[in-house]
Amino acid sequence: DVASPPLLFDLPHDGSTIPAIAIGSKTGNLFLLNRVTGKPIFGVEERPVPKSDTPGEEASPTQPFPVKPAPLTAQTITVNAFGINDADRQWCQAEISQLRTTGIFTPPSVQGTLVIPGNIGGMNWGGMAYDPQNHLLVLPNNHLASEVKLIPRADLENVRNSRGRKLDGDWEIGEQRGTPYAMMRRILISHSGVPCTPPPWSTLIAVDTVTGEKKWEVPFGSRTPGTHTGSLSLGGPIIAASGLVFVAGTLDPAIYAFDIKTGNQLWRGELPTTARSTPITFRGPDGKQYLVVSAGGHGIPGMAPLGDYVVAFSL
């Protein structure tokens, strides 16, 4: 699911300049290509991926993976399920143990499939920003798992009539009309409201486009003020010429500034609600530089309320 927009940039390489394009997806894979020829800058490999166990469905036996950069988020669970107490950990472990857990690109199944990264990413629609001085791509990345189950078409009416579109407040149904199966999914969150994957649940990452390596990675946002757990992020960054990265989009009502070279958080500006958007910057007729972001909320029950704010800061 390539939800984020591609980014065009010029990359110094072996004494020349490559007209490049960066393409990220919810899988956590970031592809760097020559935008004129389509040739991968660091290589792309077709690798075997899990088969479908759904009758009548044949999934592709391979999927493309970039050689560099390495995946920007976990694509399988390699540690025990996370929880803030024993009850949460036991619930998460029991839920995960019932699912197909064979890694990235495991197809949805009637049994239920663990999808990591989940349906919000990895990289979401906010995309990334490029710093031409340091040749860095900066992007937010989510680290949350989802559970996806297929519902045989004959069973859909019973499920829908008994529970509606939302199931138990967590499950969401997609009817997928014209196919043999409907779909139900949820983010794997324990009864305490904490994800089953270990924190940080979102990070801000800088990738060195010259080497293809990760330059730095820092937790981004928090569900609880004063913590560094990271939070769901649905907004893109911008980079000012001064070397400041401005980004919002988390579940906390705030906009942040980070140091482009180190990833250190330098500033946090409070907002009236959360910003599910990418900020802009401009110079006003008074000669001042302004930073503007739309704060409209995420629409998640129990979180910051919906709103219609446009908030401006002066630099």
Side-chain angles (χ1 to χ4, degrees):
D1 186 353
V2 184
S4 57
L7 184 143
L8 307 181
F9 64 103
D10 293 327
L11 174 63
H13 188 77
D14 292 338
S16 61
T17 299
I18 296 176
I21 184 170
I23 305 164
S25 82
K26 290 184 180 180
T27 63
N29 290 331
L30 176 62
F31 294 86
L32 304 180
L33 312 174
N34 184 311
R35 68 175 181 261
V36 174
T37 66
K39 181 180 178 181
I41 294 172
F42 297 105
V44 170
E45 298 175 344
E46 286 286 337
R47 299 175 186 169
V49 291
K51 297 180 179 180
S52 174
D53 65 356
T54 302
E57 179 176 74
E58 184 174 343
S60 172
T62 64
Q63 290 287 344
F65 289 80
V67 176
K68 286 185 178 182
L72 299 180
T73 186
Q75 296 180 330
T76 185
I77 287 184
T78 56
V79 297
N80 291 330
F82 179 77
I84 59 174
N85 53 49
D86 288 341
D88 278 8
R89 283 189 292 272
Q90 291 170 6
W91 183 90
C92 288
Q93 199 68 50
E95 197 64 31
I96 291 172
S97 68
Q98 303 175 46
L99 305 175
R100 290 194 69 190
T101 54
T102 47
I104 187 73
F105 294 114
T106 301
S109 62
V110 175
Q111 171 188 343
T113 295
L114 178 75
V115 180
I116 182 169
N119 49 284
I120 59 169
M123 295 178 64
N124 209 288
W125 66 267
M128 63 197 102
Y130 181 67
D131 172 29
Q133 293 181 342
N134 297 287
H135 312 299
L136 296 178
L137 283 171
V138 178
L139 53 102
N141 212 40
N142 296 307
H143 307 272
L144 299 169
S146 296
E147 176 181 358
V148 182
K149 290 185 177 181
L150 296 181
I151 308 170
R153 182 64 52 190
D155 298 337
L156 177 58
E157 280 300 316
N158 291 334
V159 173
R160 184 168 52 199
N161 290 337
S162 62
R163 302 196 180 187
R165 176 172 166 77
K166 290 286 185 180
L167 306 176
D168 296 336
D170 297 321
W171 290 100
E172 180 184 8
I173 289 182
E175 292 193 13
Q176 303 189 145
R177 295 184 182 130
T179 72
Y181 297 91
M183 175 274 295
M184 52 193 288
R185 71 183 184 189
R186 63 177 171 179
I187 297 175
L188 270 174
I189 295 178
S190 66
H191 297 303
S192 298
V194 176
C196 292
T197 43
W201 297 305
S202 179
T203 57
L204 191 67
I205 298 173
V207 174
D208 188 328
T209 57
V210 175
T211 65
E213 303 290 342
K214 192 183 296 182
K215 178 73 172 179
W216 49 258
E217 181 174 14
V218 295
F220 179 39
S222 62
R223 284 178 56 99
T224 305
T227 67
H228 300 283
T229 57
S231 120
L232 164 68
S233 173
L234 296 174
I238 61 172
I239 302 173
S242 59
L244 295 176
V245 179
F246 293 106
V247 61
T250 62
L251 291 181
D252 34 350
I255 183 171
Y256 299 89
F258 294 86
D259 185 321
I260 184 65
K261 292 185 177 180
T262 65
N264 291 335
Q265 182 180 314
L266 304 177
W267 172 76
R268 171 184 164 125
E270 299 299 320
L271 299 174
T273 189
T274 57
R276 194 172 180 172
S277 60
T278 299
I280 66 168
T281 185
F282 65 93
R283 181 176 294 165
D286 56 4
K288 290 184 179 180
Q289 185 176 357
Y290 292 91
L291 175 72
V292 181
V293 66
S294 296
H298 282 71
I300 299 176
M303 297 294 176
L306 292 175
D308 59 355
Y309 304 95
V310 178
V311 183
F313 301 86
S314 62
L315 274 60

